[in-house]
Amino acid sequence: MEKLVITIAPTGNVPTKDRTPYVPVTPAEIAESVYECYKAGASVAHIHARDETGRPTYRKEVFKEIVDRIKEKCDIIIQLSTGARAGRTAEERGECITLAPEMASLTTGSSNFPTMANLNAPDLIEYLCKQMQAYNVVPEIEVFDTAMIANALALQKKGLLSEPLRFNLVMGVPGSIPASFKNLFFLVESLPAGAYWTCTSVGPLHPNLSMMAMAMGGNVRTGIEDNIYYEKGVLATNPMLVERVVKMAQALGREVASVKEAREILKLNRGEDSK
Ligand code: ZN
């Protein structure tokens, strides 16, 4: 089995300081949290930006400050979010792509979140794909249900995505595919041969599904974006969540990839600095 790539999702769009004091929201807090997670074993950072009031923002100045601060500390692979909660227009959603990060997220379909639609219409998805191609950004395909795998393959046929495809199987977000062992197995079986995949799971089965993903040869995402609790009644910090994944990997005999090794596994070929 290949070494394990651990992605840290430290912030997201939803967690607030009211709910957990451990969620990093300012660029300085996010960069520090990412650096702590890098030292703990994370090799990819999935980044959302917040404005001065703590609300999600699509503004590239904020993304740029976060990216610059992270790059001062470490060479972790940076993946910026083009998710639906921050921006509305295609240009807003894709604004962070113009910073030419190494990776960006791309959701290949729509679903419902509890209070809003996670709306990704075909023309928006195609726009984001074209922007990523223009700026040489590698997309991570966010799969909230099975149809999004099929949609990604259709985009590949159109020349808007190219191999190797990198998937993030997102489970347990209300309105999306539930987090269960059966569903993880089903999603993995539905992927094209040779695809890279990681597993994001929200809810109390997060450690279990992470373990299952690692045992199946997949990779793992963790972080406060997905789970504010470490276990029942105990709030998580981002490094705590990464450290638990590392311990589980050790128990399975699965080595954790360095950033340099993660770039090789993900086939990122931009030649960014890597120790
Ligand atoms: Zn996200």
Side-chain angles (χ1 to χ4, degrees):
M1 256 180 218
E2 278 191 305
K3 291 190 181 180
L4 174 73
V5 176
I6 302 174
T7 297
I8 178 65
T11 304
N13 280 327
V14 178
T16 58
K17 292 275 190 194
D18 292 344
R19 293 189 62 209
T20 172
Y22 304 118
V23 60
V25 294
T26 67
E29 288 172 349
I30 293 170
E32 183 57 30
S33 189
V34 165
Y35 181 53
E36 292 299 316
C37 293
Y38 159 84
K39 288 191 288 185
S43 48
V44 179
H46 169 81
I47 300 295
H48 289 254
R50 303 286 185 95
D51 66 16
E52 308 72 31
T53 66
R55 290 198 195 92
T57 181
Y58 60 85
R59 281 174 38 225
K60 78 171 180 186
E61 302 79 42
V62 188
F63 275 109
K64 183 171 187 312
E65 187 182 348
I66 298 168
V67 169
D68 289 347
R69 283 177 180 270
I70 293 171
K71 284 188 172 172
E72 276 170 22
K73 294 174 187 289
C74 61
D75 66 341
I76 196 167
I77 297 159
I78 296 177
Q79 178 192 101
L80 301 183
S81 169
T82 65
R85 283 183 169 102
R88 287 173 203 279
T89 67
E91 288 73 22
E92 288 172 357
R93 292 277 300 275
E95 195 172 298
C96 66
I97 297 168
T98 65
L99 294 171
E102 226 171 337
M103 298 185 81
S105 64
L106 176 78
T107 304
T108 49
S110 301
S111 53
N112 279 345
F113 290 150
T115 57
M116 63 172 281
N118 178 15
L119 202 57
N120 300 286
D123 55 347
L124 171 96
I125 298 169
E126 295 199 4
Y127 170 81
L128 293 175
C129 285
K130 284 176 186 160
Q131 284 293 87
M132 289 190 207
Q133 287 178 333
Y135 286 90
N136 196 18
V137 174
V138 169
E140 180 181 84
I141 301 156
E142 311 294 316
V143 168
F144 289 76
D145 76 46
T146 330
M148 298 188 195
I149 297 173
N151 290 349
L153 296 177
L155 289 162
Q156 186 191 350
K157 248 189 186 161
K158 281 181 153 182
L160 291 164
L161 292 175
S162 49
E163 283 187 326
L165 300 179
R166 295 96 171 160
F167 289 92
N168 177 20
L169 309 176
V170 186
M171 315 177 68
V173 176
S176 312
I177 194 164
S180 72
F181 302 113
K182 180 181 73 175
N183 285 342
L184 177 57
F185 190 76
F186 171 60
L187 287 176
V188 173
E189 288 286 291
S190 307
L191 293 174
Y196 168 94
W197 64 275
T198 190
C199 175
T200 293
S201 56
V202 175
L205 281 181
H206 173 66
N208 311 56
L209 287 163
S210 300
M211 190 72 143
M212 178 173 166
M214 283 187 260
M216 291 174 75
N219 302 282
V220 170
R221 179 172 117 174
T222 194
I224 289 177
E225 169 167 354
D226 308 322
N227 292 286
I228 68 170
Y229 287 101
Y230 185 80
E231 58 193 30
K232 200 173 189 315
V234 179
L235 287 169
T237 67
N238 283 308
M240 273 167 74
L241 291 166
V242 173
E243 283 159 14
R244 178 166 63 188
V245 173
V246 170
K247 270 188 216 149
M248 291 193 294
Q250 284 165 347
L252 279 171
R254 185 106 185 259
E255 284 185 72
V256 175
S258 67
V259 171
K260 184 172 188 288
E261 289 162 341
R263 282 201 170 93
E264 285 160 14
I265 293 164
L266 279 154
K267 298 192 169 59
L268 305 176
N269 302 313
R270 282 229 310 232
E272 311 258 332
D273 294 336
S274 231
K275 289 158 203 129

